[in-house]
Amino acid sequence: GTGLQPALVLQGKRDRRSFAMSIGTAEATGIAFPLENRVPPRPLTHDLFLTLFGRLTVTVTRVIVTDLREGIYYATVILDAGGREIQLDSRPSDAIALAVRAKAPVLVEDRVFDKSELLPGAPPAPRI
């Protein structure tokens, strides 16, 4: 193999800070397909979840990348089930793949930017 691993780059809307997360090829495909308006011949797992949510009248309201601990990123998917909020623990790549399909915002806790290695050219994380 080439040894290249896909990365997901997230950039802050407010301050333009950015960082990259390494993700697997399958995860990259799951995120890239809807961004490229590509429709797979059969539903991918995230498509299946979104269809299921739709049938159950559950909506993805937002996704939050919550933490970075020991080199592992953590995320939460926030759902609305008839006015009741449900929080699901998730891998960030799965959470973002769902958010892209649901057109829901992807939020990142400040501490994730603070703990991440910021990409070159990105403003430094503020120190408080």
Side-chain angles (χ1 to χ4, degrees):
T2 61
L4 295 177
Q5 182 167 2
L8 177 64
V9 177
L10 296 180
Q11 183 174 57
K13 220 176 188 175
R14 203 176 48 238
D15 56 18
R16 314 306 285 169
R17 288 183 292 174
S18 59
F19 65 93
M21 264 185 254
S22 292
I23 59 174
T25 305
E27 290 81 1
T29 300
I31 294 168
F33 264 48
L35 291 175
E36 297 167 353
N37 295 316
R38 292 172 59 195
V39 178
R42 312 254 350 253
L44 298 176
T45 305
H46 305 101
D47 302 313
L48 175 64
F49 266 76
L50 216 59
T51 300
L52 174 65
F53 290 160
R55 300 270 171 93
L56 298 174
T57 58
V58 170
T59 54
V60 177
T61 59
R62 65 194 180 284
V63 157
I64 307 168
V65 180
T66 56
D67 208 354
L68 168 60
R69 295 191 309 271
E70 298 174 18
I72 298 170
Y73 288 93
Y74 294 84
T76 302
V77 176
I78 312 293
L79 304 173
D80 180 322
R84 187 169 64 97
E85 185 177 278
I86 298 173
Q87 296 187 10
L88 300 176
D89 184 30
S90 176
R91 296 185 313 164
S93 56
D94 289 331
I96 292 167
L98 282 172
V100 167
R101 286 166 173 75
K103 296 179 178 26
V106 175
L107 309 173
V108 179
E109 295 278 359
D110 279 334
R111 71 173 160 260
V112 177
F113 282 109
D114 295 343
K115 292 177 178 182
S116 296
E117 190 170 311
L118 297 177
L119 295 176
R127 297 288 169 218
I128 298 170

